[in-house]
């Protein structure tokens, strides 16, 4: 998917629309969308003057917002960062589609042991404030990570993760009502559409 489609998918998460006028409005109103727009462009330009231009803009925006997402991170459609505040995502992390990140979130690397590595998050993952996800682990689809949870183990699909040390509670439609305005990976060029169903 090209960079413009990715940016449109991010916009849809905020406004349930992705027209050019809506994107312009959301860039003014939503710091999270403004940041992800620059991030997507930095990721799309890996060389030349534009590469350095977007990297510089990303650095300046990180200082303004507290968002620090490594430009090497692979992120699916529809990333949503709803509030300003520290959000740290390792540059080797993998995030699926329709992921929500809250203030204080850390998605980081573990440097030794059997969980050495960086997390991979599935689709429809909501990460609450001050949650920490670390290590070479996999977070499944339709997973809600509660605020202040510390997660350093694999989490299956359709789960709520709470506490420190964390524990897993199975719940169908775990992110229903949390991951709103979801977008599909397979969408027409003209417009994104809300995905139907419970857990989606």
């Amino acid at each position: 998917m090209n960079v413009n489609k990715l940016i449109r998918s991010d916009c849809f998460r905020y406004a349930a629309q992705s027209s050019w006028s809506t994107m312009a409005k959301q860039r003014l109103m939503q710091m999270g969308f403004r940041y992800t727009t620059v991030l997507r462009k930095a990721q799309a330009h890996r060389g030349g003057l534009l590469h350095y231009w977007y990297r510089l803009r990303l650095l300046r925006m990180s200082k303004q917002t507290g968002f620090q997402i490594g430009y090497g991170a692979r992120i699916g459609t529809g990333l949503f960062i709803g509030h300003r505040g520290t959000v740290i995502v390792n540059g080797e992390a993998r995030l699926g589609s329709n992921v929500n990140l809250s203030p204080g979130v850390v998605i980081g690397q573990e440097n030794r042991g059997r969980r050495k590595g960086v997390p991979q998050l599935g689709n429809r993952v909501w990460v609450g404030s001050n949650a920490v996800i670390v290590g070479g682990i996999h977070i499944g689809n339709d997973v809600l990570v509660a605020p202040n949870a510390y997660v350093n183990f694999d989490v299956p699909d359709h789960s709520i993760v709470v506490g420190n040390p964390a524990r897993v509670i199975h719940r169908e439609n775990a992110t229903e009502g949390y991951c709103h305005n979801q977008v599909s990976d397979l969408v027409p060029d003209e417009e994104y559409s809300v995905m139907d169903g419970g857990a989606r």
Side-chain angles (χ1 to χ4, degrees), residues 121-139:
L121 277 62
N123 302 319
R124 302 178 314 280
V125 176
W126 185 90
V127 187
S129 297
N130 301 314
V132 176
I133 303 173
V134 293
I137 63 172
H138 181 266
I139 306 296

Side-chain angles (χ1 to χ4, degrees), residues 59-94:
L59 179 61
R60 292 180 64 186
M61 291 190 72
S62 291
K63 292 179 179 179
Q64 293 173 352
T65 62
F67 306 150
Q68 300 175 48
I69 300 178
Y71 81 99
R74 292 178 56 186
I75 302 170
T77 55
L79 177 62
F80 181 90
I81 307 174
H83 302 280
R84 187 181 304 203
T86 302
V87 172
I88 299 173
V89 178
N90 186 284
E92 298 297 318
R94 304 292 180 260

Side-chain angles (χ1 to χ4, degrees), residues 12-32:
F12 193 90
R13 294 295 316 284
Y14 292 87
Q17 297 181 38
S18 60
S19 65
W20 295 109
S21 59
T22 301
M23 287 196 291
K25 182 178 179 181
Q26 293 304 311
R27 283 192 189 102
L28 291 173
M29 296 174 55
Q30 298 288 348
M31 189 62 73

Side-chain angles (χ1 to χ4, degrees), residues 7 11 20 25 27 39 41 44 46 50 61 67 73-74 93 125 128 130 138 141 143 152-153 156 168-169 178 186 191:
I7 292 170
C11 180
W20 295 109
K25 182 178 179 181
R27 283 192 189 102
L39 174 66
K41 291 182 178 180
R46 294 304 179 111
L50 282 177
M61 291 190 72
F67 306 150
R74 292 178 56 186
V125 176
N130 301 314
H138 181 266
N141 300 317
V143 171
N152 63 349
F153 53 84
V168 175
I169 303 169
Y178 286 85
L186 304 174
E191 186 57 84

Side-chain angles (χ1 to χ4, degrees), residues 102-118:
S102 304
V105 164
V106 175
I107 299 175
Q109 179 173 312
E110 198 162 302
N111 293 323
R112 62 185 182 186
R114 61 187 178 88
R115 290 186 293 263
K116 181 178 179 181
V118 181

